[in-house]
Amino acid sequence: MVSPQIRALVKATAPVLKTHGEALTRHFYARMFQHNPELKHVFNQGHQAGGEQQQALAGAVAAYAEHIDDPSVLAPVVTRIVHKHVSLGIRPEHYAIVGKHLLASIREVLGEAATDELVDAWAAAYGQLADMLIAAEARLYADSAAKPGGWTGWRAFRVVGKQPESAEITSFYLAPADGGAVPAYRPGQYVSVRVYVPELGLMQPRQYSLSDAPGQDRLRISVKREAGGAHGPAGRVSNALHDRLEEGGVLDVAPPQGDFHLREDGEAPVVLLSGGVGLTPMVSILNHLVATGDARQIRFVHGCRNAAAHAMKDHVNDIAARRGNVRKAVFYEEVGGADRAGRDYDHHGRVDLRAIRDEAIVPDADYYLCGPSGFMRAQRETLLELGVTPDRIHAEVFGSGGAPA
């Protein structure tokens, strides 16, 4: 543990970091990539261009400064970061590089306010944080390697199937190119994939939720094409997968990771809430529950723009028709003339849990959320308003702060 004096110095910087943290992290990433351009292959440059990674790091640094007296408060965030780091192949030697550029950035951005005493305090605090993350990541790496069919780092997988699911989403079925086994994973988890992006001249990683039940001889990811526009830059990796990866093609895959997954240590009912491509981990959970003959009550609530954007409709409809313990509620923001209520959609508008509270709010249920951040904030607020306790709400997030669906 760092000394009380060091903790006091670091904690005193928390207000400054909340205000100016993003400027610091932008400077940090630019500096690091200038001096260590090889790390551009590790960090997704789309997240850099959109500012997501800088915002996520700024928030994490400020939170660490604020809670340095008791870092255990940050355990859920640390767990998510550790899973992401292992999925991207972050190793102990990277921490020295990051620390060097972070401390230099503190000096260069804060100027005279960055006294030697303050920089030394942050060096000690960063060392403590790095040791904690390295130890946790070592355990995850060991677990990944020890599983039957497991590995660490990148492994070549061959595309053994490519299936359009909607106008935007395509599923890729992936089998190990070495002919080996696929490890077990928890429904809801994700993998990182890595492809060469010619426009950048770089290998680029991206996380995608696994969209099928575990226990098979291949993995499935279901990828939304990100066209780009006012909301953000085009998805370089998603476009490369859609446009250039066909059956027989090969891409690099990291082992399954992620702290968002089905809690299987009980018989609590399951309510799956998704928006857009956020349905992918929900379908993984649903398929697992069906494949294992789980008899608990299951609610599948999904919202999307319209019929063209509605992925895996027939699959979910078939499950709901065959399984008496599964009920669905699908919301379309736009209803077309050919759309039929009960077949294509169930409700017009955005997902409104108040309108379906009798079917969606189940006593003692666990609620799983995945979708855009605005969607998840709205659903979480509504669940709390309707009496669901926070410990029953489990969320997966898009973007650099967690694994995208």
Side-chain angles (χ1 to χ4, degrees), residues 116-270:
D116 289 344
E117 185 181 27
L118 178 62
V119 173
D120 289 344
W122 262 105
Y126 174 79
Q128 174 182 270
L129 177 61
D131 288 344
M132 179 172 63
L133 293 173
I134 289 169
E137 289 159 15
R139 291 190 290 271
L140 274 188
Y141 279 122
D143 289 345
S144 293
K147 288 180 179 178
W151 76 98
T152 66
W154 299 102
R155 183 181 181 190
F157 274 66
R158 191 174 304 281
V159 179
V160 295
K162 183 177 179 179
Q163 174 67 45
E165 304 286 2
S166 74
E168 302 172 326
I169 298 172
T170 294
S171 288
F172 296 84
Y173 293 84
L174 309 173
D178 55 26
V182 172
Y185 59 89
R186 293 177 173 179
Q189 289 190 303
Y190 60 84
V191 292
S192 287
V193 304
R194 187 175 66 168
V195 298
Y196 181 72
V197 177
E199 302 93 321
L200 299 175
L202 297 169
M203 296 294 289
Q204 286 289 273
R206 190 75 157 88
Q207 290 78 41
Y208 295 105
S209 297
L210 292 159
S211 61
D212 206 350
Q216 304 182 59
D217 60 358
R218 80 286 185 278
L219 305 174
R220 185 177 76 176
I221 57 174
S222 301
V223 179
K224 179 184 176 184
R225 178 191 291 276
E226 299 289 353
H231 61 282
R236 303 278 193 178
V237 177
S238 69
N239 287 347
L241 295 176
H242 276 260
D243 296 339
R244 296 194 288 272
L245 188 64
E246 302 296 340
E247 287 192 32
V250 175
L251 79 164
D252 291 339
V253 180
Q257 299 294 338
D259 64 329
F260 175 84
H261 51 76
L262 176 67
R263 273 58 180 173
E264 298 184 78
D265 54 351
E267 299 179 354
V270 172

Side-chain angles (χ1 to χ4, degrees), residues 104-397:
S105 296
I106 290 174
R107 282 195 185 278
E108 293 162 3
V109 173
L110 299 186
E112 293 181 359
T115 63
D116 289 344
E117 185 181 27
L118 178 62
V119 173
D120 289 344
W122 262 105
Y126 174 79
Q128 174 182 270
L129 177 61
D131 288 344
M132 179 172 63
L133 293 173
I134 289 169
E137 289 159 15
R139 291 190 290 271
L140 274 188
Y141 279 122
D143 289 345
S144 293
K147 288 180 179 178
W151 76 98
T152 66
W154 299 102
R155 183 181 181 190
F157 274 66
R158 191 174 304 281
V159 179
V160 295
K162 183 177 179 179
Q163 174 67 45
E165 304 286 2
S166 74
E168 302 172 326
I169 298 172
T170 294
S171 288
F172 296 84
Y173 293 84
L174 309 173
D178 55 26
V182 172
Y185 59 89
R186 293 177 173 179
Q189 289 190 303
Y190 60 84
V191 292
S192 287
V193 304
R194 187 175 66 168
V195 298
Y196 181 72
V197 177
E199 302 93 321
L200 299 175
L202 297 169
M203 296 294 289
Q204 286 289 273
R206 190 75 157 88
Q207 290 78 41
Y208 295 105
S209 297
L210 292 159
S211 61
D212 206 350
Q216 304 182 59
D217 60 358
R218 80 286 185 278
L219 305 174
R220 185 177 76 176
I221 57 174
S222 301
V223 179
K224 179 184 176 184
R225 178 191 291 276
E226 299 289 353
H231 61 282
R236 303 278 193 178
V237 177
S238 69
N239 287 347
L241 295 176
H242 276 260
D243 296 339
R244 296 194 288 272
L245 188 64
E246 302 296 340
E247 287 192 32
V250 175
L251 79 164
D252 291 339
V253 180
Q257 299 294 338
D259 64 329
F260 175 84
H261 51 76
L262 176 67
R263 273 58 180 173
E264 298 184 78
D265 54 351
E267 299 179 354
V270 172
V271 180
L272 306 172
L273 302 169
S274 60
V277 72
L279 93 165
T280 53
M282 305 309 178
V283 171
S284 175
I285 293 172
L286 177 66
N287 287 359
H288 172 74
L289 292 170
V290 170
T292 56
D294 199 301
R296 75 181 87 181
Q297 291 298 305
I298 303 166
R299 303 289 182 266
F300 190 94
V301 181
H302 178 61
C304 57
R305 285 196 320 279
N306 50 38
H310 188 183
M312 304 179 183
K313 176 183 69 178
D314 292 340
H315 175 71
V316 174
N317 282 352
D318 180 64
I319 289 175
R322 291 187 294 106
R323 299 278 178 166
N325 62 322
V326 178
R327 295 171 63 180
K328 70 174 182 69
V330 174
F331 289 74
Y332 277 9
E333 293 183 30
E334 306 162 0
V335 173
D339 297 333
R340 285 178 48 193
R343 180 195 68 185
D344 302 298
Y345 73 101
D346 301 294
H347 304 277
H348 185 191
R350 296 189 174 185
V351 173
D352 183 357
L353 295 178
R354 298 178 190 86
I356 58 169
R357 62 181 301 167
D358 290 343
E359 53 185 304
I361 305 302
V362 183
D364 301 320
D366 279 318
Y367 296 79
Y368 298 86
L369 281 65
C370 187
S373 56
F375 168 86
M376 292 200 297
R377 280 195 301 270
Q379 305 317 314
R380 178 180 172 81
E381 289 172 4
T382 302
L383 288 172
L384 294 173
E385 175 189 314
L386 295 176
V388 178
T389 57
D391 62 303
R392 290 290 190 178
I393 303 173
H394 317 288
E396 178 64 294
V397 296

Side-chain angles (χ1 to χ4, degrees), residues 45-70:
Q45 297 301 297
H47 290 159
Q48 294 291 321
E52 298 173 35
Q53 190 66 58
Q54 294 92 330
Q55 293 167 11
L57 180 59
V61 171
Y64 179 59
E66 184 176 7
H67 297 287
I68 191 169
D69 287 332
D70 182 15

